[in-house]
Amino acid sequence: MASILDEYEDALHRSVSVQQSRASVGIPHSGYVNARLEKETPIFNKQRIDFTPPEKINSLVVSSNQLCMSLGKDTLLRIDLGKPDEPNQVELGRKDEAKVYKMFLDHTGSHLLIALNTSECLYLNRSVQKVRALSRWKGHLIESVGWNKFLGSETNTGPILVGTSQGQIYEAEISVSEGSLFSTNPDQYFRQVYTLEEESGPAPVCCLEIERGIEGKFFIIATTRKRLFQFVGKVPEGTEQQGFSSIFAVHADHLPSFREFPANLGFSEIAFYTPKLRSNPRSFAWMMGNGVLYGTLDYSRPDSILSDERVWVYPPDIDITVNKPISIVLTQFHFLLLLSDRVKAVCTLNGQVVFQDLFLEKFGLLTRMIKDPTVQQIWIHTEKVVFRYHVQRESRDVWKMYMNMNKFDLAKEYCKDRPECLDIVLAKEAEHCFQNKRYLDSAKCYALTQSYFEEIALKFIEAKQEEALMEFLIKKLSNLKPSEKTQTTLLTTWLTELYLNWLGILQGDPSQRNLYLDTREKFRTFLSSPKNKDCLFNNRASIYELLASHGDTEHMVYFAVIMQDYERVVAHHCQHDEYDEALNVLSRHRDEKLFYKFSPVLIQHIPKKVVDAWISMGSRLDARNLIPALVNYSQSASTQQINEAIRYMEFCVYQLEETQQAIHNYLLSLYALCRPDSLLSYLEQAGTNPNRIHYDLKYALRLCAEHGHHRACVHVYKVMELYEEAVDLALQVDVDLAKSCADLPEDDEELRKKLWLKIARHVVQEEKDVKKAMACLSSCALLKIEDVLPFFPDFVTIDHFKEAICNSLEDYNKHIEELKREMEEATQSAKRIREDIQEMRNKYGSVEPQEKCAACDFPLLNRPFYLFLCGHMFHYDCLLQAVFPNLPAYKQAKLEDLQKKLAASSQPSKSHHRPKDADTISLGKGQQSREQIKADIDDIVAAECVYCGELMIRSIDKPFIDPQKYEEEMQSWL
């Protein structure tokens, strides 16, 4: 097998060269074909809004699908993008030269703040048409607003932060009155909480953002032209409505933490990316003089929410002194920069410009770009035109960027639904790991790719990375389909060979003990894997050959157990004299066939444990199949060891109640050999009924005779009802035993007498004991003194049995007297019978002329009739009709036969020439025969009254109407 694998490795080299030649002529391999079937839509898809403003657009804000734009000097247009055909126009009502400076719309699209260049501020709620001035805000040019996303509602802004051009931060609240359209002062309060400064003094507050972290902690981000400030503090639970004064009060005496950059655009703008509605922003991008500061937001940090910061410088074609960026918008993987004539999209992963959209001069200069965070749409406007960008599948090429940055986990995350891209990432990751000598990780990745199997395998072989090659093969094997049986067989066999080689190397190095144990555990896991089970089972012969070639008996046994090849396991233990282990395997898996096969070997060495195992198996084992093992064992074992065989046979007979004759015969042979006492008790316990005895009587008789167990032979003779043989053999043992045998044929007095005569002859002739012979007479009533006398010798005097003779004579006298008494009783009985007969002959009954038959109710004297002692009277034919159906079949036949004979005897003789004497004689004989026939008929028909006798009693359960005639009878009653 090893040579085959070596040949396979050589074939790998040839395969690689073939692949290279295929590649040179453009033959594709079995991987994915990375082709685009249709032109992909761009990530940022621009759409011009079909809208021509009547006046120039000053400002535009969008939030929650609500769009507000300032037109000209005094007009405000509101559009619900869900109902774009129903715009709402509101007049500001200003008569002076004031112009809209900036507009701010909250996250719900309900509250609109309009900052004028005259340092005034107006407020408009979505549900009203009238614009109200905020008197407390007068005198401040508003640069930024930080909306409260946690307490704001459609009628109340909650505490908000307002940044001015002078660097002041104010806290304010605007509320719509319930009683009227507005309260007297919609601005509930307006108080200063902090002033932002740069090195030259107070600086305009360009942006404000309020975010809430965990455990009631708030983060406030404020930016100037060059600095980004962070205010961090906790607002006690339940006091959020009181505002953020406590957070700013902490920094009254010292500056909060900030980031500062030297360059200056004259302003700055910060954008946030929020993945889901009503969730916290995940990342930020701050557009300032030196470029764009990009990072993520980590709300778990104690003093700064900003994390993973980096500065992406502006593309080379952006000169902040000539064409500085105007606005910034942040998406998941890009930030968009708005210039006066174009839009640039920069990837946040690598800082590369991935999209640029140039606007025509006819549209005018681009003014502002904003994003609706709820629907992720980007809006851009000039003074005359409005554009909208849809972001589509922004992450489609992110995997490439992560892959080029060697961030393979993120790359795989963003192409998991694109297998052709995932294959490229895995191949790149595998190559990267291989170059950095992380061979195991490389193998895991290569196994998931569609790269040529031979090329990768050869790569690890040439690098002499056998462990990595094993990992590659394991992963490749796990990815194979069940139908790929040939590949599965190859990989499984190859892996087995590699594991065995590796284990052999490690086993000889004591310093690698832990690695050896770990590798051994992996190998065993591989062998016991459910996925590999079928393949290993189908190719188990090859695996056994590999294990044998490496001399790895330990894993050979382990593999045999997994394959449930317990026969091989037990045979291995037996070959190495590990009999206890072999028996443990048998007991654990309880395979009857294995017990039958290996019991002859095991019982020679551990008889007691083997018998215990047999007993634990109970009725699952057929004891007949174990008898050969016991026979071989008992022939070469001592008496003590034979006792184990007896113990199991007794278990089968007494516990399992086995009835197989072979088992009982073998137990008999063991008893006859070693336990004569148990032999007799077993025979007696088996009983004397041949139909309930499970051993062979003839075999038992021969066995007992061979071993000289006479009492056992006598018992078998008794069971076989060979009483003469039993008595003859018992007389050689014990006279009392012979006597017990002589009384057994209870129904055959002649045989009993014969048996007792044998006993008497033996006592008289063999034992010369006259007294014992006389005792035999008293034990058996069938024997008389005259039966025994012939056995005595002539010289015996009468004195020894004088008493017996006298007793015999007395018995004869008693018997004669009894016979006389019986004769007298018989004579008296005969006399009384004759008198009764005479009396019956003279007995008569009288019948009146008017008497009627009890059956037909016609006059009785018209036809032959019967008169019973009970008084009932029947015509002969009526009585016959009533009795005949109830007679047994044989009597019915006899009655019919008698009637035929009676009819035949009534016919006159056809001969006219008979002598007179002959006729007389014939008549006499015929007359006698006729009278006898009538008498026989009377005995059957008139044995008893049909109404008073047993016939009436027997008919009590019969229905009054015959079931077969029931319907007919029922119809006759209708």
Side-chain angles (χ1 to χ4, degrees), residues 618-678:
S619 58
R620 293 184 60 178
L621 289 179
D622 188 347
R624 292 177 299 173
N625 296 328
L626 297 174
I627 289 177
L630 292 172
V631 170
N632 293 334
Y633 169 66
S634 61
Q635 288 178 351
S636 60
S638 64
T639 303
Q640 183 178 0
Q641 293 172 320
I642 293 178
N643 289 336
E644 294 299 330
I646 294 176
R647 181 161 70 95
Y648 181 65
M649 289 291 104
E650 288 179 340
F651 169 76
C652 295
V653 171
Y654 299 121
Q655 300 297 325
L656 301 181
E657 298 180 353
E658 285 284 355
T659 59
Q660 296 294 331
Q661 190 177 79
I663 297 173
H664 287 263
N665 287 347
Y666 184 59
L667 180 59
L668 271 175
S669 68
L670 293 175
Y671 279 151
L673 184 63
C674 294
R675 294 187 187 176
D677 296 338
S678 299

Side-chain angles (χ1 to χ4, degrees), residues 756-883:
W756 276 105
L757 287 174
K758 282 178 177 288
I759 297 172
R761 179 187 292 112
H762 175 80
V763 171
V764 173
Q765 296 179 354
E766 301 296 333
E767 298 186 6
K768 311 295 185 181
D769 191 340
V770 179
K771 292 183 179 180
K772 189 178 289 188
M774 295 300 102
C776 290
L777 295 178
S778 62
S779 300
C780 180
L782 299 177
L783 289 183
K784 304 298 181 181
I785 186 60
E786 58 270 25
D787 298 325
V788 180
L789 285 176
F791 302 146
F792 289 97
D794 297 337
F795 57 84
V796 177
T797 62
I798 197 172
D799 295 337
H800 292 90
F801 40 85
K802 177 181 179 180
E803 183 179 355
I805 294 174
C806 294
N807 292 335
S808 178
L809 293 174
E810 289 178 1
D811 290 339
Y812 278 122
N813 290 332
K814 291 179 181 179
H815 185 59
I816 291 171
E817 292 297 329
E818 186 177 350
L819 289 176
K820 288 181 179 179
R821 187 171 59 255
E822 289 178 357
M823 290 174 64
E824 292 178 356
E825 291 177 355
T827 302
Q828 293 296 327
S829 296
K831 181 179 178 181
R832 285 194 295 272
I833 290 172
R834 285 193 295 271
E835 292 175 354
D836 291 340
I837 292 173
Q838 186 64 35
E839 183 179 355
M840 289 299 294
R841 287 177 179 173
N842 298 328
K843 193 169 184 178
Y844 63 94
S846 59
V847 177
E848 298 295 332
Q850 65 273 17
E851 291 292 344
K852 295 182 180 182
C853 174
C856 65
D857 206 28
F858 280 94
L860 185 67
L861 298 178
N862 290 349
R863 300 196 300 274
F865 63 89
Y866 288 100
L867 171 63
F868 293 95
L869 294 176
C870 60
H872 288 109
M873 292 169 281
F874 300 91
H875 289 130
Y876 165 77
D877 55 339
C878 292
L879 182 62
L880 180 63
Q881 185 179 1
V883 171

Side-chain angles (χ1 to χ4, degrees), residues 440 443 464-472 502 515 522:
L440 286 177
K464 297 182 179 180
Q465 294 298 320
E466 194 168 282
E467 187 177 2
L469 176 61
M470 290 165 58
E471 185 67 30
F472 171 69
W502 187 237
L515 181 57
K522 289 181 180 178

Side-chain angles (χ1 to χ4, degrees), residues 866 876 895 898 901-902 905-906 927-942:
Y866 288 100
Y876 165 77
L895 182 58
L898 291 172
K901 290 181 179 180
L902 181 62
S905 65
S906 301
Q927 187 66 29
Q928 184 180 6
S929 177
R930 181 180 177 82
E931 291 299 327
Q932 183 63 40
I933 291 172
K934 287 184 177 181
D936 292 340
I937 292 175
D938 291 343
D939 289 341
I940 296 175
V941 176

Side-chain angles (χ1 to χ4, degrees), residues 137 139-145 161-171 190-197 201-208 222-224 231 248:
W137 296 38
H140 301 284
L141 183 62
I142 306 302
E143 292 284 350
S144 58
V145 175
L161 296 178
V162 180
T164 69
S165 60
Q166 300 301 317
Q168 296 98 351
I169 297 178
Y170 288 87
E171 184 180 78
F190 189 78
R191 56 175 177 261
Q192 183 177 351
V193 293
Y194 202 80
T195 300
L196 296 183
E197 295 183 355
V205 183
C206 299
C207 298
L208 282 170
T223 67
T224 62
F231 298 88
F248 290 99

